[in-house]
Amino acid sequence: MAVDPRQMVAGFLTLSMFVMLGNMIKHDHFTPAGEELSLDATGVELNEMRVADSTEMTEITRAGVEFQEESGEEIKPCWSKPRPNVQESNGFVTFSLTIGPEYHISQITDAVVIARYLGATLVLPEIRGNELGKRRKFEDMYDVDKFMMSLDGVVKVIHSLPDEVTAKKPAVIRVPNRVTEEFITETIEPIFQRNNYLRLATIFSSVSLKQKESSNKDLDSTACLAMFSGLELKPEFSAVAKQMLDRLKEISKKSDGMVLAIDMQTELLEKKICKTSGGVQRKGCYYPQEVVNFLKKVGFSANTTIYLTETWWHKSLNTLKEAFPNTYTKDDIMPADKKGEFLKSGDSYLARALDLKICSQSDVFIPAIPGLFYGHVTDKEDELVVSSLVQLITRRFQGVLKFPSSSFRP
C-alpha cells in the first residue's frame, strides 16, 4: 500500500521523541553535532539518532510540513506466507498467555515458531490473570477465527488436547523470548523426541524486540506472521476501542486534528525511581512534569488531544491536565455502558488490550516507561519496515527539520 503522509509524520515523531526527551530534560538545548542521543531502556533497543546543533522544532502542525512530491515507495509486510506444512503432526505444543497483552504477542510468536519447526500441533492457549486461579479461554478475549485462519497451512491449531493426551504429563520447557533455531534444535527437539507433549513457559529476561540473526528464512517469516498478523481482539472488544478512538478524533478536530497517546502508568512510576544511567543522557522512565516539559519544548499546542493509558485519573497527572486540558483517561472517554466490563471488573488485561489498540492507531505515541508495550505499538502498523519508513522520512524532510541522515537498523 502507498505511504500515508500522516503515518510518515507520526512515525518520525514516535521514533525521535523518546530519544530526544531524555536529553531535553537535562538541558535546554539540543546536543551538538557529533554526540549521539540514546536511551538505556529496560532492555528495549532503540536506534541512535544524531541531531544537528542548529535544529529547532517550535511548532508541530501539519501546516509546517510541506510535501514536495508523492512517493512511489510502498510499505511491504515483513513476511511472505511460509510454505504449506504438509507433514503429519507428531505431537502437541501447549502454553498459556500471561502477564499482559503486550506479552501475549511474544508468547504466541514463540509457540508458533516452535510448533512449526517441530511439526507439532499447537493447542489454543488459555489466558491466566495476575490473580491466582483466574483464567479465561482464548476466545473470551481474542478473535479465534482470525487467529486460526492466519495460521492455516502454517501450523495446525486445535481448540483442546485429545482425551488420550490429556491424561499424560507434559514436558515443561522454559523458553527465552524470541526463541532461536539453535535453542530449538539443541534444547527443545531432543526433549520432544522423547515426549511429544510439551508445555512452554516463555521467559522474559529482556524485553528486546530486535530480530535475532537467522539463516532460516522460513522460521523468520513464521515469526513475523505470528507477531503481526495472528492476534487480534475479538470484534466486540475492538469495537469499544474504535468508539474510544473515534471520540478522541472528534475532540481533536477542534484543534490540530492529531491524537497523541502517552503510556504513563502512574502505579509503576510510583514504584520506580526514574534516575539517569549510563551518563546524564539516559533515563529509564519519565514523570508527568517531564513529559509536559518535552511536549512544550517541541511545540505541541495546549489544545492537543492526549490519551493516557490510565484507567482512572490520578492526582499526579494534574500537571498534564493544567498544561493540556484535552487530556483523557479510559474512564473519561469510554462509553458508560462498557465501563462495568472493562474498568470495574478488575480485569487489567482487557483495559491494557484497549490501550494497545488505541496507541497503535494514534497519530503520535510517547512511552513514559519503555518495554514490550512500546515495542509492539511502534511495530504494530509498520511491521519490521520501520527503517525504510524512517529513511524515507529523513530524505523527505531533511530541509524542513534539518535532521541529517541517521543510521537505523536495516
Side-chain angles (χ1 to χ4, degrees):
M1 61 181 177
V3 178
D4 184 336
R6 286 186 60 185
Q7 289 181 337
M8 291 172 58
V9 176
F12 175 80
L13 290 171
T14 298
L15 285 165
S16 62
M17 279 181 179
F18 200 67
V19 179
M20 292 190 292
L21 175 55
N23 188 61
M24 290 191 296
I25 296 301
K26 281 289 178 181
H27 308 285
D28 195 32
H29 56 78
F30 285 91
T31 302
E35 288 189 52
E36 294 179 338
L37 305 182
S38 60
L39 176 69
D40 186 14
T42 64
V44 173
E45 300 181 24
L46 296 179
N47 297 296
E48 295 177 342
M49 180 178 292
R50 297 177 185 272
V51 183
D53 59 356
S54 59
T55 300
E56 291 185 3
M57 296 178 69
T58 57
E59 286 190 282
I60 301 294
T61 65
R62 281 188 254 176
V65 179
E66 296 181 3
F67 294 93
Q68 302 300 323
E69 60 181 351
E70 196 65 33
S71 171
E73 298 190 38
E74 293 187 353
I75 301 298
K76 297 180 180 179
C78 60
W79 73 86
S80 55
K81 188 82 171 183
R83 68 180 186 278
N85 192 349
V86 296
Q87 69 183 72
E88 288 293 324
S89 173
N90 57 0
F92 300 90
V93 170
T94 63
F95 66 110
S96 295
L97 300 179
T98 60
I99 308 177
E102 62 267 42
Y103 291 86
H104 295 174
I105 300 171
S106 294
Q107 290 163 343
I108 285 281
T109 301
D110 288 334
V112 169
V113 166
I114 292 169
R116 168 79 174 180
Y117 190 91
L118 299 175
T121 295
L122 186 69
V123 182
L124 279 178
E126 63 179 2
I127 303 172
R128 295 190 177 185
N130 294 324
E131 298 177 9
L132 186 63
K134 190 172 185 178
R135 303 181 182 184
R136 64 168 65 199
K137 295 180 179 179
F138 181 88
E139 54 266 36
D140 290 340
M141 184 167 177
Y142 294 111
D143 188 337
V144 65
D145 293 331
K146 168 74 165 55
F147 178 72
M148 297 183 77
M149 187 180 302
S150 70
L151 296 178
D152 184 38
V154 179
V155 172
K156 183 180 179 181
V157 182
I158 59 176
H159 286 266
S160 58
L161 283 167
D163 293 338
E164 63 272 17
V165 179
T166 305
K168 300 179 181 179
K169 186 176 181 179
V172 179
I173 303 178
R174 293 163 61 89
V175 178
N177 179 34
R178 305 309 299 274
V179 66
T180 62
E181 182 178 11
E182 180 182 13
F183 186 87
I184 297 175
T185 55
E186 294 182 2
T187 303
I188 300 178
E189 194 169 30
I191 297 174
F192 186 71
Q193 291 172 349
R194 298 192 300 270
N195 183 352
N196 63 359
Y197 172 22
L198 302 182
R199 181 160 188 84
L200 309 179
T202 301
I203 306 303
F204 295 92
S205 56
S206 75
V207 291
S208 174
L209 286 176
K210 184 176 180 180
Q211 181 69 40
K212 296 180 175 69
E213 292 185 6
S214 170
S215 59
N216 191 325
K217 300 305 180 185
D218 181 79
L219 284 190
D220 288 346
S221 290
T222 300
C224 197
L225 174 67
M227 179 168 288
F228 298 112
S229 179
L231 201 61
E232 292 284 350
L233 285 175
K234 65 180 186 177
E236 51 266 45
F237 290 172
S238 292
V240 175
K242 185 178 184 303
Q243 285 179 287
M244 295 169 67
L245 188 60
D246 286 347
R247 184 174 178 189
L248 289 167
K249 289 181 177 179
E250 188 64 31
I251 296 171
S252 73
K253 289 179 181 179
K254 300 175 183 178
S255 54
D256 57 9
M258 181 178 289
V259 175
L260 189 158
I262 302 177
D263 185 24
M264 186 63 67
Q265 300 186 69
T266 52
E267 76 281 0
L268 294 181
L269 287 172
E270 288 177 343
K271 301 174 184 177
K272 189 178 183 70
I273 300 176
C274 299
K275 292 183 177 179
T276 57
S277 60
V280 297
Q281 298 180 34
R282 302 186 178 192
K283 283 176 66 70
C285 57
Y286 298 90
Y287 294 112
Q289 185 60 58
E290 293 176 312
V291 175
V292 168
N293 294 343
F294 168 68
L295 295 178
K296 288 183 175 180
K297 182 72 176 180
V298 297
F300 278 98
S301 71
N303 292 325
T304 299
T305 301
I306 299 176
Y307 172 75
L308 302 178
T309 58
E310 297 280 357
T311 297
W312 316 105
W313 193 261
H314 189 277
K315 63 181 181 180
S316 66
L317 303 173
N318 288 345
T319 54
L320 258 171
K321 193 75 168 179
E322 291 167 3
F324 299 93
N326 295 327
T327 299
Y328 305 96
T329 64
K330 283 184 282 294
D331 181 50
D332 296 323
I333 62 170
M334 181 175 288
D337 62 333
K338 301 297 181 182
K339 291 183 179 181
E341 181 177 9
F342 286 90
L343 305 186
K344 299 176 182 178
S345 64
D347 194 330
S348 60
Y349 282 11
L350 281 182
R352 197 62 172 153
L354 291 179
D355 288 336
L356 191 59
K357 189 81 171 178
I358 293 171
C359 291
S360 296
Q361 297 178 5
S362 64
D363 296 299
V364 181
F365 172 67
I366 298 177
I369 299 180
L372 274 181
F373 187 91
Y374 161 74
H376 285 307
V377 167
T378 54
D379 276 350
K380 189 68 175 175
E381 293 299 318
D382 299 318
E383 288 114 22
L384 294 182
V385 295
V386 170
S387 61
S388 298
L389 180 59
V390 171
Q391 289 165 9
L392 182 63
I393 291 168
T394 53
R395 288 200 303 271
R396 182 70 69 84
F397 301 109
Q398 194 161 356
V400 178
L401 299 179
K402 299 182 178 63
F403 269 68
S405 297
S406 305
S407 298
F408 292 88
R409 174 172 57 86

